[in-house]
Amino acid sequence: MSDEVLVSVDDGIMVVTINRPKAKNSVNLAVAKGIAAAMDELDSNDEIRAAILTGADNTFCAGMDLKAFVSGEMPVLPGRGFAGLVEAPPKKPLIAAVEGFALAGGFELAITCDLVVTSREAKFGIPEAKRGLVAAAGGLMRLPKQIPPRIAMEMAMTGDFIDAQRAYELGLVNRVVDAGSSVEAAKALAKSIAANGPMAVIGSKRIINESADWTEENMWGNQQAITDPIFSSEDAIEGATAFAEKRAPVWKGK
């Protein structure tokens, strides 16, 4: 993994940092490969319960590296899409910790994450139309599902930014915190998640994400297929036993 993506793991929480501050943490192919590798490690390592995606030097991500784009480089991986993430998010929880700007592809990375913690000073937007481009890394598809469609339409067609408070009012972000504290706030949120049963967390995320496409006829059966292995797991017994014994559960993830 290159030094353009920094990865650390502490107490079951992974922090993935886009480390191109001189380029406003814009995404090139090396960054895409680094994020993809981190997501593979997140999902394959049972010791890691959740991850945080952030950017170095008080900027989240300014989107695709346009200089690299002009030279013919695309920061897209087959089957994974832009930044090695937007078409194949991890099965485990992923939290965006946003400082500064989350624009264009950077904004699309943020809304690909399951939860978003943002600095009060942050700005969000999909300004691609101002450059003759479109927000094709999920912005035009995910955003109308996360905020009112007419607001999403306005953001896409004008390319104008919104601030953190407006993003919170729209339900686009979970928490707004003081400048410079988004990663620590995201870690606190991740620790709350990591304290829970890992199978239950992964299953809950899957049901919420997939059920939007389920019909009345198949939704209960689809849910049962996901929840049955959880209810019959060792962790389910451990959770109930720990509650009765008034102690913290010891999860096995099975």
Side-chain angles (χ1 to χ4, degrees):
M1 188 177 297
S2 75
D3 60 4
E4 293 183 316
V5 175
L6 306 179
V7 178
S8 63
V9 178
D10 182 47
D11 198 23
I13 308 300
M14 171 185 279
V15 178
V16 181
T17 305
I18 303 173
N19 186 39
R20 302 187 72 219
K22 293 182 179 179
K24 298 182 180 178
N25 297 324
S26 59
V27 178
N28 60 10
L29 186 57
V31 169
K33 291 179 178 179
I35 292 175
M39 295 302 101
D40 284 344
E41 176 66 13
L42 168 65
D43 275 346
S44 65
N45 189 332
D46 292 339
E47 299 301 314
I48 305 174
R49 300 293 180 82
I52 296 164
L53 179 64
T54 192
D57 200 26
N58 297 314
T59 294
F60 184 70
C61 175
M64 178 172 65
D65 186 330
L66 294 180
K67 291 182 180 179
F69 170 72
V70 170
S71 70
E73 179 184 282
M74 291 291 290
V76 174
L77 299 183
R80 294 177 179 266
F82 175 75
L85 177 65
V86 301
E87 294 180 24
K91 65 182 181 180
K92 293 180 183 177
L94 180 61
I95 304 170
V98 179
E99 300 279 346
F101 292 101
L103 304 177
F107 178 76
E108 290 167 303
L109 284 179
I111 66 173
T112 298
C113 296
D114 303 300
L115 305 171
V116 181
V117 176
T118 178
S119 157
R120 300 184 196 283
E121 285 74 20
K123 296 290 189 295
F124 301 87
I126 40 175
E128 280 89 342
K130 294 180 181 290
R131 301 290 179 264
L133 302 171
V134 293
L140 303 181
M141 297 182 289
R142 282 195 170 98
L143 190 58
K145 297 178 181 178
Q146 298 184 17
I147 66 174
R150 283 193 174 85
I151 304 300
M153 188 74 77
E154 179 182 343
M155 291 180 66
M157 293 194 299
T158 66
D160 292 342
F161 304 164
I162 60 172
D163 61 19
Q165 182 58 37
R166 178 61 169 157
Y168 182 77
E169 292 167 355
L170 290 168
L172 192 60
V173 305
N174 297 84
R175 300 182 182 180
V176 180
V177 298
D178 291 338
S181 63
S182 65
V183 171
E184 288 307 310
K187 285 181 180 179
L189 187 55
K191 287 178 181 178
S192 295
I193 295 168
N196 298 327
M199 291 180 66
V201 169
I202 291 171
S204 296
K205 171 178 173 173
R206 183 179 170 191
I207 291 169
I208 289 173
N209 284 339
E210 295 181 10
S211 61
D213 297 324
W214 294 349
T215 66
E216 288 284 340
E217 290 75 21
N218 66 26
M219 63 182 187
W220 293 106
N222 289 347
Q223 177 177 263
Q224 185 175 358
I226 297 171
T227 58
D228 275 358
I230 299 171
F231 279 101
S232 62
S233 69
E234 292 182 33
D235 276 358
I237 300 301
E238 168 62 11
T241 302
F243 177 79
E245 295 177 354
K246 298 181 180 180
R247 62 173 174 80
V250 179
W251 307 117
K252 295 182 180 179
K254 60 181 181 178

